[in-house]
């Protein structure tokens, strides 16, 4: 009997690894010209490091294939060739373009990746914007219906010359979701992954919610509101991210109305909360363009999403799901 107990103890020490003390690990990197942050709860420092390497590699991979600023990217090839002939693309790029056009339909054209047909004329670092004449010339190319997606042949073609695509309004959220899938594959259940304004949380912060601050659009390093969140994604689109003030004192920022070809007016920031980051990223950009009223009604028509809008007068608007129940 004594021997059996001793042997059992021996076996157990072999099959049950000495459980190392779990702790929080934090990693950061830069990709897609944004800060990437990854926080996770793990009991293995080497595995945590390996996961972070894989997650950051995903951001670099997507940037290399889907950036319009990299001439060798798949997207740049589409932009160069798709008006001449259908361009064969990866299933991944095809699906993301398809997803983008679905969001265009849903948002009555407010979200439109062909905004780039004139969006390329803006240079926020150099404080350059197109003249009204150039906008008029390029505006007919801004129309998601100019994109022909052939699912079977896996090709993208443009109906109109001068069409250009830019996935900057959705690619970060998409990649955050890919990163979260890697975390899940490794059995991580408490983590937070963010890429600039797009963030997704896996579980809570070990018994407590994550406290997520929404930036005050006009006061650097101050929060307009702090939200307790778990197991959701949140994306913020703001007119303070990439902008310059022009000679007549107008804020020229990076979210472009496909109707006017000019920066969308009426809102300073939009934060969308939802089940995954591709949804929240796309919707936050779309709602920024739609404006307060139409934006709120779009959110109320969709399941599992909420929004906080800070308008141009700095008034805050909340969707119904975030309001306190009134007794
Ligand atoms: P976000 O911070 O997610 O709102 O993304 C802003 C980025 O979306 C911009 O820098 C552009 O690359 C892209 N973008 C701007 N206007 C639009 C639009 N109307 N539809 C889709 N993408 C847009
Ligand atoms: Mg977005």
């Amino acid at each position: 009997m004594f021997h059996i107990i001793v042997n059992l103890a021996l076996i157990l020490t072999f099959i049950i690894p000495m459980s190392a003390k779990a702790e929080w690990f934090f990693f950061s990197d830069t990709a897609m010209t944004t800060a990437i942050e990854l926080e996770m709860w793990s009991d293995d420092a080497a595995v945590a490091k390996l996961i972070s390497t894989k997650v950051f590699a995903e951001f670099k991979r997507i940037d290399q294939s889907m950036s319009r600023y990299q001439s060798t990217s798949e997207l740049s090839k589409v932009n160069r060739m798709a008006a001449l002939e259908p361009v064969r693309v990866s299933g991944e790029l095809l699906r993301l373009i398809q997803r983008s056009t679905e969001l265009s339909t849903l948002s009555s054209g407010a979200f439109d990746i062909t905004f780039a047909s004139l969006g390329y004329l803006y240079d926020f670092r150099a404080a350059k914007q197109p003249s009204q004449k150039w906008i008029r010339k390029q505006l007919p190319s801004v129309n998601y219906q100019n994109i022909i997606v052939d699912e079977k042949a896996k090709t993208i073609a443009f109906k109109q010359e001068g069409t250009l695509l830019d996935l900057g309004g959705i690619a970060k959220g998409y990649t955050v979701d890919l990163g979260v899938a890697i975390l899940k594959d490794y059995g991580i259940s408490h983590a937070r992954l963010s890429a600039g304004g797009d963030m997704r949380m896996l579980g809570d912060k070990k018994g407590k919610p994550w406290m997520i601050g929404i930036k005050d659009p006009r006061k650097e390093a101050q929060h307009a509101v702090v939200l307790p969140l778990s197991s959701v994604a949140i994306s913020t689109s703001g007119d303070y991210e990439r902008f310059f003030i022009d000679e007549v004192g107008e804020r020229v920022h990076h979210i472009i109305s496909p109707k006017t070809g000019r920066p969308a007016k009426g809102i300073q920031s939009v934060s969308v909360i939802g089940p995954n980051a591709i949804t929240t990223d796309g919707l936050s950009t779309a709602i920024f363009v739609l404006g307060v009223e139409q934006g709120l009604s779009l959110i109320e028509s969709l399941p599992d999403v909420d929004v906080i809008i800070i308008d141009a007068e700095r008034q805050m608007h909340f969707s119904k799901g975030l309001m306190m129940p009134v007794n």
Side-chain angles (χ1 to χ4, degrees):
M1 181 64 186
F2 174 72
H3 276 289
I4 293 171
I5 292 170
V6 170
N7 287 342
L8 199 64
L10 255 171
I11 292 165
L12 282 177
T13 52
F14 277 110
I15 59 174
I16 301 175
M18 293 288 283
S19 84
K21 213 173 135 292
E23 58 185 305
W24 287 105
F25 290 91
F26 184 87
F27 304 92
S28 62
D29 200 353
T30 306
M32 301 179 170
T33 58
T34 1
I36 318 290
E37 288 182 5
L38 172 59
E39 221 176 318
M40 75 181 104
W41 179 259
S42 170
D43 57 10
D44 190 326
V47 171
K49 178 77 194 133
L50 175 70
I51 295 171
S52 75
T53 309
K54 292 198 169 188
V55 169
F56 296 149
E58 258 331 54
F59 281 92
K60 290 187 177 136
R61 181 179 72 79
I62 297 297
D63 197 28
Q64 272 162 21
S65 71
M66 302 203 190
S67 166
R68 101 176 138 95
Y69 300 100
Q70 304 211 19
S71 61
T72 52
S73 73
E74 231 192 326
L75 188 74
S76 291
K77 189 175 171 206
V78 169
N79 281 342
R80 273 196 304 273
M81 305 293 295
L84 305 171
E85 60 187 16
V87 178
R88 214 178 139 78
V89 295
S90 63
E92 192 175 32
L93 180 58
L94 188 106
R95 280 192 299 277
L96 198 57
I97 291 175
Q98 240 170 356
R99 182 83 186 237
S100 300
T101 56
E102 283 161 18
L103 182 54
S104 301
T105 311
L106 188 73
S107 65
S108 318
F111 186 91
D112 190 333
I113 55 174
T114 67
F115 86 92
S117 313
L118 60 76
Y120 82 94
L121 296 167
Y122 288 87
D123 184 337
F124 302 98
R125 272 193 217 148
K128 277 197 188 137
Q129 59 181 321
S131 66
Q132 209 48 45
K133 193 175 141 210
W134 267 103
I135 291 177
R136 264 199 302 277
K137 188 168 174 287
Q138 301 290 108
L139 210 49
S141 302
V142 179
N143 185 350
Y144 66 96
Q145 284 159 333
N146 288 340
I147 310 171
I148 306 164
V149 180
D150 186 333
E151 233 176 297
K152 262 210 191 128
K154 276 199 173 178
T155 59
I156 304 292
F158 297 151
K159 284 186 194 158
Q160 180 149 349
E161 224 182 303
T163 304
L164 292 174
L165 309 183
D166 175 318
L167 294 166
I170 199 165
K172 276 189 238 126
Y174 170 67
T175 317
V176 165
D177 287 340
L178 293 178
V180 166
I182 294 173
L183 288 158
K184 282 184 179 169
D185 280 350
Y186 277 89
I188 299 294
S189 43
H190 302 277
R192 182 184 69 84
L193 174 60
S194 72
D198 302 295
M199 182 190 298
R200 184 161 160 193
M201 287 142 272
L202 199 50
D204 62 6
K205 205 174 178 181
K206 292 283 298 164
K208 293 179 289 182
W210 297 89
M211 298 308 286
I212 306 301
I214 292 177
K215 278 186 193 157
D216 183 319
R218 293 292 177 271
K219 290 185 188 144
E220 188 106 12
Q222 272 194 44
H223 289 144
V225 60
V226 178
L227 301 167
L229 298 173
S230 307
S231 304
V232 289
I234 178 166
S235 292
T236 298
S237 293
D239 69 357
Y240 53 87
E241 280 168 27
R242 286 204 276 151
F243 75 99
F244 63 92
I245 307 289
D246 72 9
E247 60 288 349
V248 292
E250 283 247 10
R251 178 178 288 254
V252 182
H253 65 81
H254 67 146
I255 302 172
I256 307 297
S257 160
K259 269 192 198 146
T260 63
R262 308 270 317 143
K265 286 195 168 145
I267 288 184
Q268 292 182 353
S269 89
V270 174
S271 302
V272 174
I273 301 161
N276 52 59
I278 189 171
T279 303
T280 58
D281 189 4
L283 279 174
S284 68
T285 311
I287 287 163
F288 197 106
V289 175
L290 277 176
V292 177
E293 219 169 287
Q294 276 182 277
L296 280 172
S297 74
L298 173 59
I299 286 288
E300 300 301 0
S301 75
L302 300 170
D304 305 326
V305 284
D306 274 296
V307 71
I308 298 170
I309 303 175
I310 304 178
D311 70 20
E313 275 74 51
R314 295 176 55 74
Q315 290 291 318
M316 286 179 94
H317 306 261
F318 297 88
S319 57
K320 290 192 183 119
L322 294 174
M323 295 201 199
M324 292 282 225
V326 184
N327 290 316

